[in-house]
Amino acid sequence: MSSAEPVRYWDYLAAYEPRRDEYLRAVDRVFSSGRLVMGQEVAAFEEAIAAYCGTGYAVGVNSGTDALTLALKALGVGAGHEVITVSNTAVPTVAAIRAAGATPVFVDVEEDTFLIDVSQVEGAMNGRTRCILPVHLCGQMADMAPLVEIAKRRGVRIVEDCAQACGASYRGNRAGSLGDIGAFSFYPTKVLGAFGDAGVMTTADPELAARLRRLRFYGMEGSYYAEEEGFNSRLDEVQAALLSLALPGVERAVEKRRELAELYDQGLAGVGDLALPAVREGCRHQFYLYTVRTGRRDELQEYLRGEGIETRINYPHPVHLMRGYAFLGYREGDLPVTERLARSILSLPMYPELPRRHAEKVVEAVRAFFRGSR
Ligand SMILES: *Cc1c(COP(=O)(O)O)cnc(C)c1O
């Protein structure tokens, strides 16, 4: 197969081009409004995203990392406290726990969904545990029902890392609506993406929402007076306006992702030693990532590269084995499933505008790889 037309892993231009005028008009509307920060655009987006997630409140911030950090702070999680989470995640999950002053405690993940292994959570708890921080990785939510039950019974809080899960749901509940606070990133590659950095925190609790608003604005309520120590983490008016334009398209985008996932599922079933993404019953996977597993991952990636097909590894290094987190004291072998996944996972091209013929080319190339080497 020749690779005349490269198959991109991700691309936002195909979504931007047809709506360019709308986006540019929104930017001009903000620039001409006389108000560049903390104005009507942020308030309008917060209302819209809270409605979408089915939470009463949403508070905009400047990144997903800050959303996680401020969520922990608002729940009183800080120095001397432990937060149970996974190492099979993006570095910012862990960076945010440290930024809040707390210590991450890692448990392993389920091999087929890549999500937190709930059966390990209670064993990792002790008197310092204050919070469980499940990561809804790849577009599917962690098994929330037992987590909520454990948190209630043990008197700890839950912050959901929803950076990869906008549009996902669990038994009819949207990501960000089952924990005490949901933390979203709108980094451009995410399912709802801004044109730069942006994030939001969702909650059903009006007092928590008020505290989150304070924390993002130097701890101030009115002007020039801090009620508590805070941060500067504002969502700016331009990003909010652009996000408000993009939000109504999320459902359609998720449907397109699910159609592409279906195409991959059908084309790749039973091929070689490939394991396809597992979807938990009663859950809506939005396929932020379509991640397969194979014992011959590096060879397959190399072969696809030769065919002009971009792929990614999300993520090649578990956080607990990174030099930057060596001080936490974990060693190779501590989280066997997480470590095995890092060696076997591969994410195939996936974005709503990915042409079907590109997805078909991916299927053909993967099949050819396994055929050729039988
Ligand atoms: C992207 C991401 C974040 C961080 O979001 P930023 O907006 O880049 O700060 C956190 N957690 C996960 C799982 C992510 O994928």
Side-chain angles (χ1 to χ4, degrees):
M1 189 183 339
S2 87
S3 37
E5 194 182 21
V7 177
R8 304 286 308 277
Y9 174 78
W10 176 76
D11 181 16
Y12 76 92
L13 289 171
Y16 174 66
E17 288 300 341
R19 303 192 65 190
R20 181 188 191 126
D21 290 345
E22 283 175 86
Y23 281 119
L24 293 182
R25 269 200 305 278
V27 172
D28 184 56
R29 184 176 76 233
V30 173
F31 284 5
S32 308
S33 73
R35 176 112 199 208
L36 298 173
V37 288
M38 304 277 271
Q40 198 40 53
E41 299 289 350
V42 168
F45 175 66
E46 288 175 341
E47 197 172 312
I49 190 77
Y52 179 79
C53 294
T55 61
Y57 305 90
V59 179
V61 284
N62 72 12
S63 72
T65 309
D66 278 8
L68 288 164
T69 305
L70 270 57
L72 292 168
K73 281 286 186 189
L75 294 169
V77 179
H81 299 153
E82 294 183 357
V83 176
I84 296 179
T85 192
V86 290
S87 170
N88 186 44
T89 185
V91 170
T93 308
V94 181
I97 293 169
R98 292 296 302 155
T103 302
V105 172
F106 299 122
V107 296
D108 218 339
V109 292
E110 304 169 336
E111 189 130 25
D112 58 342
T113 64
F114 319 139
L115 302 169
I116 189 166
D117 182 345
V118 175
S119 72
Q120 298 190 10
V121 169
E122 285 206 88
M125 295 177 91
N126 60 44
R128 291 180 299 277
T129 309
R130 288 292 180 286
C131 186
I132 306 170
L133 201 163
V135 180
H136 305 322
L137 207 69
C138 299
Q140 175 164 231
M141 288 174 69
D143 197 3
M144 290 302 290
L147 283 179
V148 168
E149 189 276 317
I150 292 169
K152 273 216 179 89
R153 184 160 42 76
R154 303 286 300 252
V156 303
R157 316 301 291 265
I158 296 182
V159 171
E160 297 173 64
D161 184 336
C162 304
Q164 302 192 0
C166 185
S169 68
Y170 177 94
R171 301 183 187 164
N173 303 286
R174 285 252 162 84
S177 69
L178 289 173
D180 293 281
I181 303 177
F184 290 80
S185 164
F186 304 119
Y187 182 74
T189 63
K190 313 287 180 176
V191 165
L192 175 57
F195 290 74
D197 279 312
V200 92
M201 302 159 300
T202 53
T203 182
D205 179 340
E207 282 172 27
L208 269 182
R211 186 158 192 207
L212 291 168
R213 282 180 207 291
R214 254 194 337 256
L215 286 170
R216 77 169 166 190
F217 191 55
Y218 319 121
M220 302 198 308
E221 221 137 71
S223 291
Y224 310 124
Y225 190 93
E227 293 290 342
E228 63 176 314
E229 282 187 301
F231 301 82
N232 170 12
S233 185
R234 292 178 294 247
L235 171 59
D236 79 65
E237 287 283 283
V238 172
Q239 296 302 341
L242 299 172
L243 284 164
S244 287
L245 263 182
L247 178 59
V250 163
E251 280 302 295
R252 175 93 189 91
V254 168
E255 281 316 313
K256 285 195 193 161
R257 286 174 180 274
R258 289 170 55 84
E259 283 164 22
L260 289 164
E262 178 76 27
L263 187 156
Y264 281 149
D265 278 349
Q266 284 177 6
L268 298 174
V271 172
D273 72 340
L274 268 194
L276 305 182
V279 179
R280 197 191 307 287
E281 215 183 301
C283 289
R284 184 198 199 205
H285 198 317
Q286 41 80 309
F287 291 101
Y288 170 62
L289 301 176
Y290 188 94
T291 304
V292 300
R293 286 177 286 143
T294 165
R296 304 175 55 204
R297 191 268 312 278
D298 293 342
E299 268 176 89
L300 175 60
Q301 184 174 41
E302 197 47 45
Y303 178 84
L304 293 176
R305 190 177 294 131
E307 294 294 314
I309 296 167
E310 278 181 7
T311 58
R312 296 275 163 84
I313 298 168
N314 308 90
Y315 298 92
H317 305 286
V319 181
H320 73 283
L321 298 180
M322 293 181 184
R323 254 191 314 282
Y325 290 100
F327 69 92
L328 292 173
Y330 287 87
R331 276 171 316 174
E332 188 127 25
D334 284 344
L335 300 166
V337 178
T338 296
E339 293 165 24
R340 200 151 59 232
L341 287 176
R343 292 189 295 268
S344 61
I345 49 172
L346 187 67
S347 299
L348 303 181
M350 174 58 81
Y351 57 95
E353 292 74 28
L354 180 74
R356 276 187 86 81
R357 65 174 189 287
H358 283 194
E360 282 157 4
K361 179 174 165 174
V362 173
V363 167
E364 274 322 301
V366 172
R367 296 181 73 97
F369 168 79
F370 283 105
R371 243 192 336 265
S373 51
R374 211 168 25 204

